[in-house]
Amino acid sequence: MFTWGVATSAYQIEGAAFEDGRAPSIWDTFTRVPGAIINGDNGDIACDHYHRYEEDLDLMNWLGVNAYRFSISWPRVIPNGVGSINQKGIDFYDRLIDGALERGIEPWPTLYHWDLPQALQDRGGWMVRESVDWFAEYAHAMAERFSDRVKNWMTINEPFCSAWLGHLSGVMAPGIKNLEKAVAASHHLLLGHGKAILAIKDVKESTKVGVVLNFTPAVPASDSQEDRVAAQLADGFDNRWFADPIFKASYPKDIVEAFDIDVPIVGNDLSIISTPTDFLGMNFYFRQTVAFDEKSTPLKYRQVTPSAERTFMGWEIHAPTLTELLMRFSSEYQPNEIFITENGSAWDDQLIDGKVEDKNRVSYLERHLEALFVAKAKGAPVNGYFAWSLLDNFEWAYGYGKRFGLVYVDYPTQKRIPKSSAHYYRERIKEN
Ligand code: FCB
């Protein structure tokens, strides 16, 4: 059976940031940094999903999805990151998981969608090696509580963003700008993923575990040799740095050399990182065009923006890239199974007479689903699709201004209004 789902993440929708024993995460801290988030927005209330999850599960039921990808908020269930469990936090995810199952929807939790407990950041966060054991301990505790009902776990969402955007460009929490620290964080995130697989399987061997990687294929701005090398570097930095260790037990040589920094590998780290996964979660949004740039650091290229069809994020829309990516990944890395764990688009949605006619989002969705099924017909082992996102939500550094939902959220009233794209997705699932 094909998996039809929707995806969300804890910090982006839950709200209830200071309720029932939840402690701050690095995003609670980062959203207080002046200028870090457009409009000074934060996730204190978000979509109030913590209180409205029943209504949101009903929406999923109406859509007809058979799977829900959400994330567990680490500081809600283990406020200090390690040690004592907050039972009220566990109770929330118990209710959510049971509520999904009652509606015939499989729960697909992600353990880490960027909201590290601040208590652990204060001890060095992902930059220090201890983070690997903190994460494995958390994974084990969650598997013990939920693996009686959860069949599919995802360890880490987009280590690219946590490592590079959180520790190199600093546009995301924890807002650090240091290549050496970013490389260390990337290695510990990957190692944490490997150890989390072992921890989950230790609780229940038959549980399926995967990782979620975002892929941004790169095309050269011109045919010049320099631009072609630039595209290879961009591919290495964005894609291969994370996929190679997991699927090939090595870091890409060209990028290691270009960084000229030692990756803090100890002993058999790479064999732990490459512990076999049951599936790959692939997030795909857009492709990038890059040009050689002598002055750029740490790699000599920059992104350029040729005129093209683009979303409200400025991201190029190019659905055939998804087919190519699925084909390339299948042959180069040979995952057992692939699920598109995120794909979607932001638009300047307008609520008019109680309706949101988001033709652009429908078209984006239609084209990407088609691209997926082309790859599947050609033999890519892709068995599911999760639309990002069920609801409009807190889009990280962009705040609430960028709407990705199939369902419109009127923030002042928290009213949910299915957009045209929700109706389209519902029909598309039925057809199948
Ligand atoms: C991905 C994130 C997700 C959401 C989308 C638009 O990088 O995983 O939380 O913000 O982008």
Side-chain angles (χ1 to χ4, degrees):
M1 191 176 70
F2 193 77
T3 296
W4 290 98
V6 285
T8 65
S9 90
Y11 189 72
Q12 295 179 276
I13 66 164
E14 284 180 4
F18 310 103
E19 254 179 81
D20 290 345
R22 178 187 175 280
S25 78
I26 54 175
W27 274 92
D28 296 284
T29 308
F30 191 63
T31 50
R32 265 70 189 176
V33 174
I37 315 291
I38 292 179
N39 199 35
D41 290 343
N42 62 51
D44 290 4
I45 300 172
C47 306
D48 196 30
H49 173 75
Y50 187 75
H51 300 113
R52 296 170 195 261
Y53 68 95
E54 290 270 2
E55 181 185 350
D56 295 337
L57 288 169
D58 285 342
L59 276 168
M60 290 179 230
N61 197 23
W62 170 80
L63 276 169
V65 296
N66 54 29
Y68 175 36
R69 175 176 178 236
F70 59 97
S71 78
I72 294 178
S73 159
W74 187 350
R76 195 182 287 293
V77 292
I78 310 183
N80 288 321
V82 285
S84 52
I85 301 263
N86 175 31
Q87 189 54 43
K88 285 192 170 163
I90 298 290
D91 293 346
F92 169 67
Y93 295 107
D94 267 331
R95 293 193 296 274
L96 182 68
I97 289 169
D98 292 342
L101 288 169
E102 278 159 21
R103 291 164 177 85
I105 300 168
E106 284 292 331
W108 284 61
T110 304
L111 286 167
Y112 188 69
H113 202 123
W114 309 350
D115 46 356
L116 188 75
Q118 181 61 40
L120 296 183
Q121 187 63 38
D122 296 342
R123 295 166 67 181
W126 292 110
M127 297 176 287
V128 299
R129 199 172 164 89
E130 291 91 304
S131 57
V132 175
D133 294 322
W134 302 333
F135 185 63
E137 180 187 323
Y138 159 56
H140 198 269
M142 294 306 104
E144 277 182 326
R145 274 149 191 95
F146 304 123
S147 285
D148 55 336
R149 287 154 290 160
V150 167
K151 298 191 194 121
N152 298 280
W153 285 98
M154 284 153 286
T155 55
I156 294 202
N157 178 70
E158 302 191 352
F160 166 93
C161 294
S162 287
W164 297 161
L165 306 185
H167 298 80
L168 182 57
S169 66
V171 298
M172 285 195 169
I176 290 161
K177 296 178 187 171
N178 179 299
L179 179 61
E180 203 174 337
K181 290 179 176 165
V183 167
S186 72
H187 183 63
H188 300 140
L189 282 154
L190 289 165
L191 193 54
H193 150 75
K195 285 218 176 166
I197 302 180
L198 300 171
I200 295 169
K201 301 261 180 182
D202 179 55
V203 174
K204 193 170 174 188
E205 179 64 38
S206 63
T207 312
K208 291 193 171 177
V209 190
V211 66
V212 175
L213 303 179
N214 56 310
F215 291 90
T216 310
V219 290
S222 79
D223 261 353
S224 74
Q225 172 66 11
E226 284 180 326
D227 284 352
R228 276 188 274 145
V229 171
Q232 266 166 35
L233 288 175
D235 181 59
F237 180 72
D238 284 22
N239 310 320
R240 289 182 284 119
W241 187 264
F242 300 93
D244 281 16
I246 292 176
F247 291 93
K248 297 179 175 173
S250 64
Y251 283 97
K253 264 208 195 104
D254 54 343
I255 307 301
V256 175
E257 270 168 29
F259 279 168
D260 194 21
I261 273 183
D262 287 330
V263 185
I265 300 169
V266 180
N268 65 344
D269 281 5
L270 283 161
S271 63
I272 296 172
I273 293 175
S274 59
T275 301
T277 52
D278 296 294
F279 62 89
L280 166 76
M282 178 184 274
N283 291 356
F284 173 75
Y285 288 93
F286 62 103
R287 69 171 186 180
Q288 59 184 324
T289 304
V290 299
F292 172 76
D293 182 6
E294 178 73 46
K295 287 188 225 91
S296 288
T297 56
L299 302 172
K300 292 182 177 165
Y301 72 86
R302 66 185 154 84
Q303 289 199 10
V304 295
T305 45
S307 83
E309 203 186 347
R310 291 178 189 279
T311 69
F312 198 46
M313 296 292 284
W315 295 348
E316 180 179 355
I317 303 174
H318 196 264
T321 299
L322 177 59
T323 309
E324 283 162 33
L325 178 62
L326 282 164
M327 297 321 293
R328 167 187 164 194
F329 205 92
S330 305
S331 69
E332 201 176 318
Y333 295 95
Q334 305 184 337
N336 292 327
E337 266 190 303
I338 305 177
F339 293 88
I340 299 298
T341 36
E342 285 181 32
N343 173 246
S345 57
W347 299 99
D348 187 14
D349 297 323
Q350 302 297 332
L351 180 63
I352 299 168
D353 297 333
K355 283 189 183 160
V356 180
E357 307 230 359
D358 56 340
K359 293 199 187 78
N360 291 328
R361 188 174 289 101
V362 171
S363 158
Y364 183 98
L365 197 56
E366 206 168 23
R367 285 186 271 170
H368 286 79
L369 281 170
E370 192 190 321
L372 178 158
F373 284 107
V374 169
K376 190 168 168 61
K378 287 185 179 172
V382 55
N383 293 329
Y385 178 88
F386 292 80
W388 184 271
S389 181
L390 172 69
L391 304 168
D392 291 336
N393 59 48
F394 176 75
E395 181 46 36
W396 309 111
Y398 296 92
Y400 293 98
K402 297 283 189 277
R403 294 177 176 270
F404 274 92
L406 300 176
V407 175
Y408 186 89
V409 176
D410 178 51
Y411 293 109
T413 62
Q414 289 293 346
K415 197 167 178 242
R416 275 82 164 129
I417 301 142
K419 305 177 192 175
S420 300
S421 54
H423 291 274
Y424 164 78
Y425 196 44
R426 181 168 187 254
E427 289 308 313
R428 184 71 184 75
I429 295 172
K430 260 195 213 157
E431 254 171 48
N432 218 77

